[in-house]
Amino acid sequence: MSNCNWCGELDEVNITSGGSPSPPSPYVSIAHMYPTGGGGGLPNEWDFGGGGGHNGTHNPDNPDPEENPCDKINELESDRAFKRRLLDLEENTSLDYETGFLINHNGSVYDPIAGSPNTDEINFNVSGTIDGYLHSHVLPNGNSIFSPDDIEALYLLYNNGHINNTGTFVISVVTGHGTSYSIIIDDINAFNTFSQNNLIGDNFNSFSIGYEADYNQLNDLFGLSSISAREVALLNALENSGLSILKGNSDYSDWQKIKAQGRQTVDVDCN
Amino acid sequence: MKTIIFTLALLLNLSCVTAQEVTIKKGTKIEDVKKGTYYKTDKALLNKYLGIWSTTVNKKVFKFEILKSKTEVDGIFIDRIVGRYYYDEKSDVYLSDATYECSAMEYGLDVLEKGKLRFRFFDYDNDKLGVLEFELIEENKASWHLLERGGYRDESFRKGFSVPIEMVLIRKK
């Protein structure tokens, strides 16, 4: 990230199983944070059921420690497996159904999921907790950014205790429009409050209608491109949500935090 | 007297400004979007959807009414497309504030031109949302295809829908 003035000074550290404990690392891959599989007899299997995490219900009084957004962004940028899965999704945007991955689910670091042919929806079950999910949006109807339903799904995962660590949880979308975005949780308390007011029952209907009306106005009246209008509309809709939207570059090696300013999208320093 | 005339003229002028309507047509470029103005969607694109669409399923009459809804966004008014359904003689459901209408997810001019709308569909018997694909297959005839929403599968998925998921509807004249 060009906005982290210290990022370039630090080298990536590869973590291997076995041996002595790893030194502190500025870059942490998902496999590093949540070791799965591997060998060497180390107890590095992902634990879906017990010990720590939420495992059933969230606890707003005892949220996970929040990470510096810069750190979270750097983790995404340096995570090769994450980038590979996004490239997989990019290839899959030519399909007539959505595909995706649940991170650290059912014993897989990236557990694949898929929608039904000729649909623009992907729905999934979760057992235990996960560390994020990635999915595609396909043409012709798929949005160029997260849909309101994607935001609601994030809340449902949180509310039903399926998020292992809100401090590191990530959702990403790769679209047939050539765009990619990720969402991270910067402030879980703000997200919880926002969700109560916007993502439950009739409030979700109002949230969706507001976002869609804003998009249509920006696109039809103010002449923003469909992609820009969706960016601005979603950023507007998620104001004070405790979530950050990151925009990916073409090879997913750079994730830029963005915000709406008037009818434009501007970059935000991550620190 | 001059003051009265001036005041009346000013009031008339103001009422014209506040009630201003502009029709948005394909290719129209709005140079200066003004707050308080009602930017109406071109009837030529909108009217082919509006009205009551119906069929009979298992001797029960199903109706889906599509309407336009004037909606305010940040001081500007636009047309939005909403829908509501009636099935098996249930016609008073929308008298309840707890029941909300179905709402088209996109209703830009390009979308309207294509003849296919996607609604966020609210099933009021099963108290859940779904996605409705409503596609014009010929004039006054449309296909209805109801889908589960995307995202995390909560308990609502087990309920299914209380209305048929596949139908062909005819618009009443």
Side-chain angles (χ1 to χ4, degrees):
Chain A
M1 288 297 301
S2 55
N3 291 319
C4 293
N5 54 16
W6 47 268
C7 292
E9 301 167 9
L10 302 167
D11 295 326
E12 181 174 354
V13 176
N14 292 318
I15 306 301
T16 54
S17 60
S20 57
S22 305
S25 165
Y27 296 129
V28 185
S29 74
I30 285 168
H32 172 192
M33 292 188 288
Y34 314 105
T36 59
L42 289 175
N44 62 349
E45 289 84 10
W46 180 245
D47 179 5
F48 294 108
H54 298 300
N55 299 320
T57 54
H58 71 91
N59 181 359
D61 298 327
N62 187 23
D64 296 310
E66 284 166 11
E67 280 200 1
N68 182 318
C70 253
D71 293 342
K72 285 193 255 188
I73 292 168
N74 291 329
E75 286 160 14
L76 297 180
E77 292 177 345
S78 61
D79 190 329
R80 293 191 189 114
F82 177 73
K83 283 186 270 191
R84 272 199 304 274
R85 295 291 82 80
L86 294 177
L87 288 167
D88 290 345
L89 293 182
E90 182 182 312
E91 280 188 20
N92 289 350
T93 56
S94 61
L95 301 173
D96 66 352
Y97 57 90
E98 293 187 358
T99 58
F101 298 95
L102 304 180
I103 302 175
N104 281 318
H105 182 247
N106 275 349
S108 297
V109 179
Y110 289 97
D111 189 16
I113 53 175
S116 303
N118 291 311
T119 68
D120 307 303
E121 317 293 334
I122 188 169
N123 47 63
F124 52 89
N125 287 315
V126 177
S127 56
T129 58
I130 56 175
D131 291 308
Y133 69 96
L134 325 174
H135 72 295
S136 63
H137 281 174
V138 297
L139 300 176
N141 295 323
N143 279 355
S144 58
I145 198 167
F146 293 103
S147 66
D149 301 83
D150 292 328
I151 309 302
E152 187 204 27
L154 174 60
Y155 171 68
L156 291 174
L157 288 170
Y158 168 66
N159 193 49
N160 291 334
H162 292 305
I163 292 183
N164 177 52
N165 183 342
T166 55
T168 55
F169 198 82
V170 60
I171 65 173
S172 301
V173 64
V174 177
T175 83
H177 301 268
T179 54
S180 61
Y181 301 89
S182 290
I183 286 180
I184 55 176
I185 304 170
D186 280 341
D187 182 340
I188 189 60
N189 291 325
F191 179 55
N192 197 28
T193 303
F194 175 85
S195 301
Q196 304 299 321
N197 295 329
N198 293 281
L199 303 180
I200 297 173
D202 199 14
N203 290 342
F204 177 68
N205 207 40
S206 301
F207 171 76
S208 307
I209 288 169
Y211 160 72
E212 285 148 6
D214 196 15
Y215 161 73
N216 277 281
Q217 188 188 76
L218 290 164
N219 185 222
D220 264 350
L221 277 187
F222 290 100
L224 270 66
S225 71
S226 175
I227 289 173
S228 297
R230 285 209 179 282
E231 271 183 13
V232 174
L234 189 64
L235 288 163
N236 285 339
L238 293 181
E239 192 176 11
N240 301 319
S241 66
L243 305 176
S244 283
I245 297 185
L246 316 176
K247 187 172 184 174
N249 68 346
S250 59
D251 66 357
Y252 316 111
S253 61
D254 185 77
W255 290 92
Q256 176 62 58
K257 183 174 173 177
I258 54 174
K259 71 172 184 180
Q261 195 170 78
R263 288 187 289 277
Q264 288 186 316
T265 303
V266 295
D267 295 347
V268 181
D269 284 348
C270 66
N271 46 5
Chain B
M1 187 62 182
K2 279 183 180 174
T3 306
I4 293 169
I5 291 170
F6 176 77
T7 307
L8 282 173
L10 185 65
L11 286 172
L12 278 171
N13 191 37
L14 280 174
S15 67
C16 287
V17 169
T18 52
Q20 192 176 0
E21 295 182 356
V22 175
T23 298
I24 315 171
K25 297 189 175 188
K26 186 91 172 139
T28 304
K29 189 171 170 62
I30 311 289
E31 294 292 348
D32 183 18
V33 179
K34 290 179 181 163
K35 289 206 173 189
T37 301
Y38 178 18
Y39 293 93
K40 303 176 79 168
T41 301
D42 184 5
K43 283 181 184 173
L45 291 174
L46 196 56
N47 282 1
K48 59 188 175 185
Y49 297 98
L50 302 183
I52 296 176
W53 300 77
S54 68
T55 189
T56 302
V57 182
N58 298 327
K59 297 181 181 174
K60 297 176 186 174
V61 175
F62 180 89
K63 293 180 191 172
F64 185 58
E65 185 176 11
I66 300 180
L67 313 98
K68 71 172 182 178
S69 172
K70 184 179 175 183
T71 302
E72 187 255 329
V73 183
D74 197 22
I76 295 161
F77 298 88
I78 59 172
D79 280 328
R80 196 162 60 81
I81 300 174
V82 298
R84 52 191 185 184
Y85 70 89
Y86 307 89
Y87 190 36
D88 195 22
E89 305 298 322
K90 292 175 187 170
S91 60
D92 59 349
V93 63
Y94 289 101
L95 296 177
S96 164
D97 289 340
T99 302
Y100 44 86
E101 296 163 327
C102 308
S103 176
M105 292 192 271
E106 289 184 22
Y107 34 88
L109 302 181
D110 290 338
V111 174
L112 295 176
E113 198 171 35
K114 287 175 187 166
K116 185 174 181 178
L117 292 177
R118 298 173 80 236
F119 287 84
R120 195 172 297 283
F121 177 83
F122 181 67
D123 183 328
Y124 48 75
D125 277 343
N126 287 0
D127 190 24
K128 62 177 279 189
L129 288 166
V131 175
L132 167 63
E133 291 183 347
F134 182 92
E135 184 169 12
L136 300 176
I137 46 182
E138 54 188 76
E139 191 178 2
N140 299 321
K141 190 174 183 181
S143 65
W144 165 289
H145 184 202
L146 196 52
L147 298 159
E148 296 285 359
R149 288 192 304 151
Y152 168 65
R153 290 177 70 99
D154 60 8
E155 72 281 359
S156 72
F157 281 75
R158 285 200 299 273
K159 298 178 184 173
F161 292 104
S162 67
V163 299
I165 58 172
E166 297 277 359
M167 289 183 277
V168 172
L169 304 176
I170 305 295
R171 183 161 67 166
K172 283 186 171 182
K173 292 182 179 173

